[in-house]
């Protein structure tokens, strides 16, 4: 009979419990509640089998002797209090078997009172719920894993959490690892090894995976669990005995981690400081853990790829606008001075037009790299905000912002190589200052973009800071874009003609047609506002056809009245010039009005040669064949190239007004003289734009330029006034 020293009255009760325990297969014990230490006075065989201790090692002791490192002190105190109060209750606690293995124990507490004997005991029904707890842990781990992946936790952190959970179900000192395998090079890479000493991790990571080296190597190649009971003597560990001895390793188990295609991608291992052999339940538990590890790896990598696609520009590998918007909100919380800048370059459009979008992507990628090289802080954020624009956020004190931006500009003094070409870039930067209290990232982005729009209007490199007045210009541009189509339909955009004259005599030689728009709602809209708007909105061809139609009507009127005919130059955009219907429509319209093509000169900016030199050459030759003459407008301000000039059948070079207005500068005068000589050498004639003084006229004549236009002679005039000339 399993009894302690009892008084005679207790022996009767114990005999009753003994007979009950023989038939009762659920483990239970009885404690003496009247004694302060609450000793165990009876336990059935099922209980002894569960804990691994004998009757002699158990009776007379407080149940706390089963507690260990993983036992909750709070749970132990609650159980003691419940027994002392004589109440019922159900508790869960981690206890330890004699072999040191922890197990989850469910205790159902039931007081036993014998009033007639004045005796008081407590019955504790015992259940080993370890398997239930393992199942619950796996379900919880699965939920935690998905949640951590969605929250952006690193895979190593997620896998380490899985390892810690698994370790709680084995003896103290058990250490779990996840080793991932690089299947191309067959070497170990880090999965989760934080439970092991750092030097152990350093010794293993990067090693070649071999079938007869290590428990994990064997598990990887065999594709099944491998159990090593004694690492000090096992053949698999012959090459790593120094690690076994140094860290007191005795047993190790390893199980392969499979992906969805049943290919082994890693191993899940457990190391023990004592001899431990798994039972069937342990191996099933390890398989469950390995499955969760596999899911964690799969979904973490999928999530990383999704994030990469969502927050990275695939063409340049720079962060994209989504990433920039998210990160700028985090950086603003630091409440520090700084700025947001939008950065663009004039050369982007030229590169895309000439070499395609892939070359444009390469250019933006190189600009991003150059910006990173010259950043002043690790907290800077650089992203590709749009095809042609990079965005930059920098935490920089106000007084140092101009200096930093100049430093960025200097970083582009050397050319950038894209493919087989080298480009000197012309940067345009729009800047919005970040105040310490600023929290509205969208407003900063809007302001920076608006400032960039102003920078693009300037010649050469430009840095523009956002000022509130810019809002007015932005809204005006939006209204212009909205009104443009209606204006074209209502024929609101008219034509003014500016005469080109003989610089010696002042005789009118020809005209240039200039678009002018006076809106009933918006008033006078400058050409440098509505023409770019027409280009952006795909209306430039309609606009230029309207100008051509009005010029032809004016010419036909002169023919009908027998007046002297003079050539009229009409500006043509690159979009219109390269359109397949350009020359046929031009011929149809001149034929319809009975105007000979020789009276129409087509002015095209020099960027035409950069877009597609071969196609441009064909169009120019077709125009000449049909009788039209051509001119290169604003020569010297864009992509100037002698190679394309000599290839294209052009009759006229127009010297941009920016050179004429700066004639007092020796360098500029040399440029003007070179353009005039170049035109002469190529059998063209030069025309000076923007002549405003007699001094300029005389200098141009001395340099060999015979033709010009400008306010010194005539301002652009309505068609009815030009009709009188």
């Amino acid at each position: 009979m399993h009894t302690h020293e009892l008084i005679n009255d207790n022996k009767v009760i114990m005999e009753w419990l003994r007979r009950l325990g023989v038939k009762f297969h659920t483990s239970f014990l009885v404690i003496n509640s009247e004694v302060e230490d609450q000793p165990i006075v009876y336990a059935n065989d099922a209980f002894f089998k569960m804990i691994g201790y004998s009757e002699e090692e158990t009776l007379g002791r407080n149940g706390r002797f089963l507690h260990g490192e993983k036992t909750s002190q709070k749970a132990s105190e609650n159980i003691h209090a419940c027994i002392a109060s004589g109440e019922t209750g159900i508790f869960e606690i981690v206890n330890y078997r004699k072999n040191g293995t922890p197990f989850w124990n469910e205790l159902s507490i039931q007081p036993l009172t014998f009033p007639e004997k004045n005796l008081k005991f407590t019955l504790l029904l015992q259940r080993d719920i370890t398997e239930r707890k393992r199942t619950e842990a796996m379900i919880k781990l699965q939920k935690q894993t998905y949640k951590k992946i969605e929250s952006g936790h690193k895979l190593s952190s997620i896998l380490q959490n899985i390892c810690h959970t698994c370790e709680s179900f084995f003896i103290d000192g058990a250490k779990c690892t996840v080793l991932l395998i690089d299947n191309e090079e067959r070497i170990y890479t880090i999965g989760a090894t934080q439970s092991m000493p750092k030097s152990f991790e350093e010794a293993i990571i990067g090693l070649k995976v071999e079938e007869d080296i290590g428990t994990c190597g064997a598990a990887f190649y065999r594709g099944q669990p491998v159990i090593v009971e004694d690492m000090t003597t096992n053949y698999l560990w012959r090459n790593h005995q120094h690690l076994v001895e140094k860290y007191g390793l005795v047993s190790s188990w390893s199980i392969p981690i499979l992906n969805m295609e049943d290919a082994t991608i890693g191993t899940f291992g457990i190391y023990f400081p004592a001899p431990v052999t798994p039972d069937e339940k342990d191996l099933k538990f390890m398989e469950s853990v390995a499955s969760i590890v596999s899911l964690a790896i799969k979904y973490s990598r999928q999530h990383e790829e999704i994030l990469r696609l969502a927050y990275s520009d695939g063409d340049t590998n720079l962060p994209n606008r989504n990433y920039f918007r998210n990160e700028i909100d985090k950086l603003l919380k630091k409440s520090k001075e700084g700025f947001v800048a939008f950065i663009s370059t004039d050369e982007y459009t030229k590169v895309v037009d000439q070499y395609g979008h892939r070359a444009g992507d390469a250019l933006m990628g190189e600009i991003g790299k150059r910006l990173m090289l010259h950043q002043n802080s690790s907290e800077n954020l650089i992203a590709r905000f749009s095809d042609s624009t990079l965005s930059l956020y920098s935490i920089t004190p106000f007084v140092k912002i101009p200096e930093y931006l100049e430093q960025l500009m200097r970083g582009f003094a050397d050319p950038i190589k894209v493919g087989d070409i080298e480009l000197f870039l012309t940067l345009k930067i729009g800047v919005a200052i970040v105040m310490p209290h600023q929290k509205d990232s969208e407003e900063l982005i809007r302001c920076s973009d608006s400032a960039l729009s102003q920078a693009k209007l300037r010649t050469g490199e430009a840095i523009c800071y956002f000022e509130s007045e810019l809002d007015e210009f932005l809204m005006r541009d939006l209204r212009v874009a909205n009104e443009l189509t209606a204006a074209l339909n209502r024929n609101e955009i008219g034509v003014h003609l500016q005469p080109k004259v003989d610089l010696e005599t002042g005789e009118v030689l020809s005209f240039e047609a200039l678009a002018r728009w006076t809106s009933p709602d918006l008033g006078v809209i400058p050409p440098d506002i509505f023409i770019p708007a027409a280009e952006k909105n795909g209306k430039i061809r309609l606009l230029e056809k309207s100008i051509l139609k009005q010029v032809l009507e004016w010419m036909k009127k002169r023919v009908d009245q027998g007046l002297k005919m003079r050539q009229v130059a009409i500006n043509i955009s690159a979009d219109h010039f390269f359109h397949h219907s350009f020359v046929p429509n031009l011929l149809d319209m001149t034929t319809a009005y009975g105007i000979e093509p020789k009276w129409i000169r087509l002015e095209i900016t020099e960027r035409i040669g950069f877009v597609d030199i071969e196609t441009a050459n064909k169009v120019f030759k077709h125009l000449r064949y049909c009788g039209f003459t051509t001119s290169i407008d604003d020569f010297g301000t864009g992509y100037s190239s002698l190679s394309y000039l000599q290839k294209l059948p052009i009759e006229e070079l127009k010297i941009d007004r920016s050179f004429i207005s700066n004639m007092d500068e020796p360098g500029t005068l040399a440029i003007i003289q070179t353009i005039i000589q170049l035109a002469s050498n190529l059998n063209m004639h030069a025309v000076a734009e923007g002549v405003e003084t007699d001094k300029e006229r005389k200098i141009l004549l001395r340099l060999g330029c015979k033709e010009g236009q400008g306010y010194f002679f005539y301002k652009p005039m309505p068609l009815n006034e030009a009709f009188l000339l």
Side-chain angles (χ1 to χ4, degrees), residues 541 544-545 548 552 572-592 595-597 600 602 604 608 615-630 649:
R541 288 177 55 232
E544 290 170 353
K545 285 182 178 180
L548 177 60
L552 291 172
I572 300 297
S573 65
D575 179 67
H576 197 180
F577 181 84
F578 285 107
H579 195 274
H580 64 87
S581 66
F582 170 54
V583 178
N585 285 341
L586 195 60
L587 284 171
D588 289 344
M589 292 182 72
T590 52
T591 301
I595 303 299
E596 293 182 61
I600 299 294
L602 302 164
I604 299 98
I608 291 291
T615 303
N617 192 26
K618 292 178 182 178
V619 176
F620 275 113
K621 286 182 176 179
H622 193 185
L623 289 170
R624 170 175 279 190
Y625 175 79
C626 295
F628 299 99
T629 60
T630 53

Side-chain angles (χ1 to χ4, degrees), residues 311-324 342-343 348 352 357-365 368 371-372 381-392:
Y311 294 110
S312 176
D313 176 59
D315 296 316
T316 61
N317 289 324
L318 291 170
N320 63 12
R321 72 162 71 195
N322 294 328
Y323 182 84
F324 188 79
F342 271 30
I343 302 168
Y348 174 80
V352 171
H357 283 279
R358 186 169 296 179
D361 295 333
L363 174 63
M364 298 308 290
L371 290 172
M372 289 177 186
L381 177 62
I382 298 169
R384 188 180 189 183
F385 203 82
S386 68
D387 284 353
S388 61
T389 305
L390 298 181
S391 51
L392 166 67

Side-chain angles (χ1 to χ4, degrees), residues 498 655-657 660-661 688-693 696 709-711:
Q498 185 176 34
I655 306 170
D656 187 70
R657 69 185 66 223
I660 306 303
S661 61
E689 295 182 301
V691 181
E692 297 187 356
T693 66
E696 293 170 351
Q709 66 187 93
Y711 283 14

